[in-house]
Amino acid sequence: MERYFQPEIECASREQIRAWQDERLVKTVAHVYKNVPYYRNMMKEKGVEPGDIQSVDDLHKLPFLTKDDLRDAYPYGLLAVPLADAVRIQSTSGTTGRRVVAFYTQHDIDLWDECCARAIVAAGGTKEDVVHVCYGYGLFTGGPGLNGGSHKVGSLTLPMSSGNTERQIQFMIDLESTILCCTPSYAAYLGETVHEMGLRDKIKLKAGIFGAEAWSEEMRRDIEKTLGIKAYDIYGLTEISGPGVSFECSEQTGMHINEDHFIAEIINPETGEVLPEGEKGELVFTSITKEAFPLLRYRTRDICVLTRKECSCGRTHVKMSKPMGRSDDMLIIKGVNVFPSQIETVLLNKGYQANYQIIVDRVNNSDTLDVQVEMTPEMFSDSVTEVSAKEKELVNALKAMLGIYAKVQLVAPKTIARSEGKAVRIIDKRKLY
Ligand code: DLL
């Protein structure tokens, strides 16, 4: 039977959700216009005043906000409450340019924790569970978010943070962890290690809540099989609070966006035009309950599709598909759009695991695409003929999926570095030019 953390909200009528959104949007716009000069200027530039925004129908009148704005306004330029009311910051893991920081009041943290609690309960979590959190703690939102959610549910929470895989497994066995929270790539690595150590029978996990990076359905099936669990997706981004912006239910066909806190739109990333439900485009969020750091029409760069089709779980909040890539991570190779997720799908369909690296380069003014893939121990072979036949098979499958040639190199098991957080799978050397 499906369980909910806040049934009256998660299963509210569409009219009720819309009424909350209308009221909260108007309030949030007035709040930022009054308290954040950066917003006031942006709105003035676009000729919009708070009075022009009466309901969600007027959302399109507001300007978009991008990561560049957040960098421009770093560190305090978008803070919407007095410093005395803010109690926490979190930050993105961005490697280039200025970091992006997000602020929280205590009330913001309480609401964020509730969003994560909804995700844990949707994955079957109760007070009886032992929730093992190995997302990173600290500036990254993964650890603190799921930790807070687990506390709200009343589960015993293991704040493991990332790293030290053998210790993770020891605690998992000793404390009988039942719900695992980490990136899907780390879940796959944990699964692999548990098997190698011959400890599969000692693990009591029943579910996993995995997100923070893209992962395919094939990878889900692999993890579910290796760890003997049901694996749920969870999505979020630091700017809009962290994990728990949306989460999967038992149907596992997309993630319910917590629409009482966030309004979602899909736009054409090139023109900014708002697209109708069901069309693929860039996801844009407006947070409508935040005090310290409310963002209006924030462009996530994540590409996905929204659907309001009825869900068998009983939740009424809109669902987003798994992100299919990012408008800024999409590789354009020889003029062809390539999403890393397409490559992953081919590899996993052919029996490989998600241990691979994509290297893009430019040689003599022409793009090259190299895919290095680890063989599994079962398929590992010393025979050059066998390996090159396997490589050829992958080259053909990738050509069929992408429409372009990719050079494939099969490498020995365990030669591609494992990640404890978000996996780094794409190396685009062209950026160095
Ligand atoms: O990754 C928050 C998070 C932590 C989500 C733990 C889920 C679990 P950032 O580091 O700011 O925040 O990165 C946000 O990661 O815009 C997406 O591109 C990507 N992302 C997050 N969740 C998913 C997911 C956290 N389930 C960026 N599937 C987002 C695919 C995801 N991509």
Side-chain angles (χ1 to χ4, degrees):
M1 202 193 64
E2 190 80 24
R3 293 182 63 260
Y4 314 98
F5 180 65
Q6 291 164 311
E8 65 299 343
I9 300 173
E10 293 174 66
C11 304
S13 68
R14 290 296 322 162
E15 293 71 38
Q16 176 61 74
I17 294 172
R18 176 62 197 241
W20 282 326
Q21 291 191 331
D22 286 342
E23 185 208 321
R24 293 172 186 181
L25 174 65
V26 170
K27 243 171 99 179
T28 303
V29 171
H31 173 52
V32 297
Y33 193 86
K34 177 161 173 257
N35 297 306
V36 185
Y38 195 94
Y39 263 118
R40 200 158 48 238
N41 292 340
M42 276 180 89
M43 285 173 63
K44 278 187 177 153
E45 256 170 48
K46 207 164 180 234
V48 204
E49 297 204 338
D52 298 329
I53 311 298
Q54 297 291 331
S55 75
V56 176
D57 289 336
D58 299 320
L59 194 58
H60 66 98
K61 297 178 185 164
L62 291 167
F64 290 116
L65 200 70
T66 65
K67 204 166 221 159
D68 286 340
D69 289 308
L70 268 59
R71 289 192 173 125
D72 277 355
Y74 176 88
Y76 288 122
L78 286 167
L79 179 63
V81 294
L83 202 61
D85 294 341
V87 298
R88 168 97 70 83
I89 75 151
Q90 303 286 161
S91 173
T92 58
S93 47
T95 44
T96 52
R98 285 168 164 178
R99 273 186 171 268
V100 164
V101 288
F103 300 89
Y104 305 75
T105 62
Q106 187 54 52
H107 185 248
D108 292 333
I109 291 178
D110 287 341
L111 298 186
W112 176 26
D113 288 349
E114 283 178 9
C115 288
C116 289
R118 291 180 194 175
I120 293 171
V121 172
T126 68
K127 279 162 71 88
E128 313 298 327
D129 277 293
V130 179
V131 177
H132 189 112
V133 185
C134 37
Y135 285 114
Y137 280 64
L139 287 173
F140 180 54
T141 53
L146 271 305
N147 193 94
S150 175
H151 278 212
K152 283 267 180 209
V153 176
S155 314
L156 177 64
T157 312
L158 270 56
M160 300 297 300
S161 198
S162 54
N164 203 337
T165 304
E166 291 194 5
R167 188 182 62 188
Q168 300 276 1
I169 295 170
Q170 195 60 53
F171 266 96
M172 202 178 278
I173 293 171
D174 295 347
L175 290 148
E176 304 191 350
S177 307
T178 51
I179 298 185
L180 174 66
C181 305
C182 60
T183 57
S185 48
Y186 193 54
Y189 179 48
L190 274 172
E192 194 179 314
T193 314
V194 162
H195 275 260
E196 272 170 18
M197 294 169 78
L199 296 172
R200 171 68 180 78
D201 292 346
K202 300 225 166 2
I203 300 288
K204 298 279 190 312
L205 291 177
K206 63 176 188 189
I209 304 176
F210 307 132
E213 63 183 3
W215 54 310
S216 58
E217 284 302 325
E218 291 76 14
M219 189 164 171
R220 186 208 304 266
R221 281 197 290 276
D222 268 10
I223 296 174
E224 289 189 332
K225 208 167 109 214
T226 333
L227 285 170
I229 59 171
K230 191 157 170 163
Y232 295 84
D233 204 349
I234 183 166
Y235 167 91
L237 58 163
T238 314
E239 300 89 311
I240 304 293
S241 69
V245 171
S246 67
F247 61 93
E248 239 175 17
C249 60
S250 55
E251 209 184 79
Q252 292 186 311
T253 54
M255 294 175 271
H256 291 282
I257 295 172
N258 286 313
E259 283 188 286
D260 50 326
H261 298 301
F262 315 108
I263 303 174
E265 299 171 275
I266 292 285
I267 61 162
N268 174 329
E270 259 107 61
T271 62
E273 176 205 359
V274 179
L275 299 176
E277 186 188 322
E279 284 200 28
K280 187 163 105 180
E282 181 181 332
L283 188 56
V284 172
F285 282 116
T286 297
S287 47
I288 48 174
T289 48
K290 291 275 214 68
E291 293 175 338
F293 200 64
L295 299 188
L296 305 179
R297 301 197 89 201
Y298 182 67
R299 293 185 59 162
T300 63
R301 302 285 168 196
D302 291 319
I303 304 290
C304 69
V305 174
L306 295 182
T307 170
R308 291 215 157 74
K309 262 198 224 115
E310 215 171 282
C311 184
S312 63
C313 77
R315 289 181 182 78
T316 45
H317 293 225
V318 70
K319 283 205 295 201
M320 59 180 267
S321 65
K322 265 182 181 302
M324 299 157 190
R326 292 175 55 81
S327 58
D328 53 357
D329 266 7
M330 184 183 73
L331 298 161
I332 302 183
I333 304 172
K334 296 184 183 151
V336 176
N337 295 352
V338 173
F339 285 105
S341 59
Q342 296 174 296
I343 297 179
E344 182 173 306
T345 297
V346 169
L347 301 181
L348 276 84
N349 272 335
K350 291 280 175 201
Y352 296 84
Q353 283 165 350
N355 298 316
Y356 63 91
Q357 214 151 40
I358 299 169
I359 302 145
V360 188
D361 206 346
R362 182 160 290 164
V363 181
N364 298 332
N365 292 324
S366 175
D367 293 336
T368 58
L369 169 62
D370 282 56
V371 182
Q372 291 187 349
V373 195
E374 239 183 57
M375 285 180 273
T376 61
E378 299 79 57
M379 59 172 72
F380 184 55
S381 156
D382 282 338
S383 149
V384 177
T385 348
E386 245 176 69
V387 171
S388 70
K390 283 203 175 80
E391 286 175 344
K392 216 169 191 175
E393 189 198 5
L394 276 184
V395 169
N396 291 337
L398 286 168
K399 178 94 201 274
M401 169 69 98
L402 310 172
I404 54 167
Y405 169 75
K407 183 169 164 218
V408 173
Q409 190 194 354
L410 289 178
V411 298
K414 301 262 171 205
T415 44
I416 291 181
R418 302 295 190 267
S419 150
E420 289 163 355
K422 299 189 193 222
V424 181
R425 297 209 173 95
I426 306 158
I427 301 169
D428 193 341
K429 296 188 175 163
R430 297 174 301 179
K431 286 189 186 135
L432 301 176
Y433 288 82

